[in-house]
Amino acid sequence: MHPRDEEIWRAIDQGRRAIDWEAWFGCPEGAGYLSPAGHQVTARAVAGLTAFFNSRWLPKAVVPSPAPGRASDTFVGLGRHAPVLQFMNGAAPGAWVEAVRWWAAYAYLEEAAVPGMASVKRDARCDVTLSRFLHSQTQARLALMGAAHGLRVELEPAKASGGPGDVRIGPVFIEVVTFAEDQKFQDYERFRENVRGHLFALDRGRDIYWEGDLPEFLSGGDFETWKKRTEEAAQQCAALEAAVDVLSSAGRRLTVHPGTAPQGTTLTGATVESDQGRRLLDKVHGKCAKTAGAGTAWIWVEDHSGLFHFPTPFAEMSLAAKTDALADLLGPLLAEYVHVAGIVVSNAARRRMPLPPNEDALRPAAQGFRRGLPLDRVRETIMIPRRILLPEQTSLIARMCDAEANALDWALGKLGVPHGVASLLADSSTPQRVSPLWTP
């Protein structure tokens, strides 16, 4: 971490400064992966995100104060998406591109005066919760994808039954469902963020790095005992310049090494088991019932539950097998709710470079898409359409999914950045390790 960023984040950690988007992106001197044009875009993104959410939003989001009964809907580790806080070798440029995508989508939709954008901004500012943030992100992303295809888009469009919907893209009316982690998963995520923060603190002032397994959920004295073992291991590793293992009670092994983390070094958390399939079906079933008065509608499920990328049986399936599985699970809802034109389930996750090749899975009852996105994301989208109706709408959604990787460059061009993401990144064949002081 650059000394200037270190000073800023120490002040944030000590409560002497509130987090803001400038701190989120980091100082220019610490972002050597950016070209001069990239630094200019950072400044625009800082100003744009501050204006969109207002200056009070990010501190509330990163350090939430949930209302009674709303603890399960607060942010979990939002700070881990900040470019300046990426500690894995080569991860900062991808996090930067993802944050720029947030800005570019909102900025373009506002500049184009897309109907309903003011309502999305108001809701995002007033409802500082994980579900609203994910919902607003999905609305903006889908609208941008439609606009990039030359289609008229509208946010918060009116429904036949009254009240707003989520997105209209040409003739396609979309209702968005955000499928996030259950409470058990969130509890473990909070614990894992505490673990990572502890390990990052041990890195401070030492030339060491960690790899291997994060512990299973620990509480009270067990967690304090584990922290003491890691402190001793860090001291021993730095003194002897030798790797030291830390074992947890479940036999999970965490190793501290001297030196700088090689590319591909990982810290892996325990799998949290839950019946995600049943939860997904219940969530979509409820949305189908609530939209019965909306007229013909598509249900778009944005998955943030870990269903696609954690080591579950579903995540290990081929794209074709996932497509068939979701068609079997959700297809019967199309027979039960005749107003639903189709159901889409989509997930994006960071992947190691190089990204896997694009893939399509055209199955009897559904279609799957796997697409690499700038810079190190992979999105898997599975579309389950009603079989005999609305082929034009099905084709339109398929075209949007096929070309999503181009949407960011298109938006940047509209915002006066003509040469896309590639022009914003420096030649970083030897990326530096970034070691954050603290993860909010």
Side-chain angles (χ1 to χ4, degrees):
M1 178 177 277
H2 190 273
R4 181 178 163 195
D5 288 321
E6 183 174 340
E7 179 182 351
I8 290 170
W9 281 92
R10 183 176 290 111
I12 293 171
D13 192 19
Q14 295 172 353
R16 294 185 286 107
R17 169 178 171 162
I19 185 174
D20 55 23
W21 290 103
E22 185 176 10
W24 174 280
F25 280 95
C27 68
E29 297 84 353
Y33 53 85
L34 295 179
S35 69
H39 289 299
Q40 293 174 7
V41 166
T42 296
R44 293 181 64 185
V46 167
L49 289 169
T50 302
F52 181 83
F53 286 105
N54 76 37
S55 60
R56 299 179 299 278
W57 184 90
L58 190 59
K60 289 181 181 179
V62 172
V63 187
S65 299
R70 296 293 298 277
S72 64
D73 201 31
T74 58
F75 286 89
V76 178
L78 180 64
R80 69 173 178 264
H81 299 288
V84 74
L85 297 183
Q86 301 304 305
F87 75 98
M88 291 299 182
N89 195 18
W96 182 87
V97 170
E98 180 67 5
V100 165
R101 183 186 66 78
W102 300 353
W103 160 72
Y106 293 133
Y108 168 76
L109 296 172
E110 285 200 288
E111 188 172 292
V114 168
M117 188 59 189
S119 295
V120 171
K121 178 193 283 190
R122 182 187 63 246
D123 291 344
R125 287 180 171 186
C126 295
D127 185 3
V128 188
T129 57
L130 174 64
S131 59
R132 171 50 57 185
F133 176 73
L134 298 177
H135 193 93
S136 300
Q137 286 280 347
T138 304
Q139 286 180 285
R141 184 175 63 83
L142 293 177
L144 183 65
M145 290 164 61
H149 277 74
L151 299 166
R152 184 180 185 276
V153 297
E154 182 181 358
L155 295 162
E156 305 284 324
K159 295 189 289 192
S161 60
D166 289 321
V167 189
R168 187 186 297 278
I169 301 172
V172 177
F173 186 99
I174 298 175
E175 290 279 3
V176 171
V177 176
T178 52
F179 183 54
E181 302 95 345
D182 59 19
Q183 186 62 51
K184 184 179 179 182
F185 188 93
Q186 287 202 5
D187 289 344
Y188 181 69
E189 278 288 273
R190 290 188 179 91
F191 168 74
R192 187 161 63 175
E193 288 300 321
N194 288 335
V195 167
R196 288 180 182 273
H198 171 71
L199 296 180
F200 295 154
L202 295 180
D203 284 0
R204 199 179 306 168
R206 298 187 177 103
D207 187 21
I208 61 174
Y209 68 94
W210 302 84
E211 72 167 346
D213 301 321
L214 299 179
E216 72 286 0
F217 190 86
L218 301 172
S219 60
D222 291 337
F223 187 33
E224 292 304 316
T225 298
W226 181 87
K227 289 198 295 184
K228 184 177 180 180
R229 289 206 301 267
T230 57
E231 291 167 4
E232 293 170 350
Q235 293 171 359
Q236 185 178 357
C237 175
L240 301 179
E241 297 187 353
V244 179
D245 290 335
V246 178
L247 296 176
S248 66
S249 59
R252 301 180 66 81
R253 183 186 302 273
L254 178 69
T255 304
V256 55
H257 298 271
T260 301
Q263 189 166 359
T265 302
T266 60
L267 288 171
T268 305
T271 301
V272 179
E273 297 295 340
S274 59
D275 187 357
Q276 300 290 63
R278 170 52 59 182
R279 289 185 60 240
L280 176 61
L281 180 61
D282 290 345
K283 187 91 170 180
V284 178
H285 190 283
K287 191 68 169 182
C288 289
K290 290 179 180 178
T291 59
T296 301
W298 287 76
I299 307 296
W300 187 288
V301 182
E302 194 70 13
D303 174 65
H304 297 270
S305 70
L307 179 67
F308 279 77
H309 57 277
F310 282 91
T312 61
F314 180 83
E316 294 172 358
M317 292 179 180
S318 67
L319 180 62
K322 290 177 183 176
T323 303
D324 289 339
L326 286 181
D328 290 342
L329 178 69
L330 302 175
L333 295 178
L334 299 178
E336 183 176 355
Y337 295 97
V338 295
H339 71 285
V340 177
I343 300 168
V344 181
V345 182
S346 188
N347 168 273
R350 182 177 181 268
R351 299 286 181 87
R352 298 179 189 174
M353 301 291 281
L355 296 179
N358 291 344
E359 183 181 350
D360 295 282
L362 184 58
R363 309 299 294 164
Q367 185 170 358
F369 305 85
R370 179 180 290 133
R371 294 292 184 271
L373 304 178
L375 187 62
D376 56 359
R377 265 61 176 174
V378 170
R379 179 169 290 279
E380 292 186 336
T381 303
I382 293 168
M383 177 177 60
I384 308 155
R386 188 172 294 281
R387 295 191 184 188
I388 60 175
L389 297 177
L390 305 173
E392 296 85 1
Q393 294 192 16
T394 301
S395 176
L396 187 156
I397 291 178
R399 294 197 306 273
M400 287 171 47
C401 294
D402 177 50
E404 181 179 356
N406 302 323
L408 176 55
D409 279 355
W410 181 86
L412 289 172
K414 293 294 184 181
L415 294 170
V417 184
H419 303 297
V421 169
S423 70
L424 307 179
L425 299 172
D427 180 11
S428 54
S429 57
T430 56
Q432 298 178 351
R433 181 191 183 202
V434 180
S435 300
L437 286 168
W438 172 69
T439 300

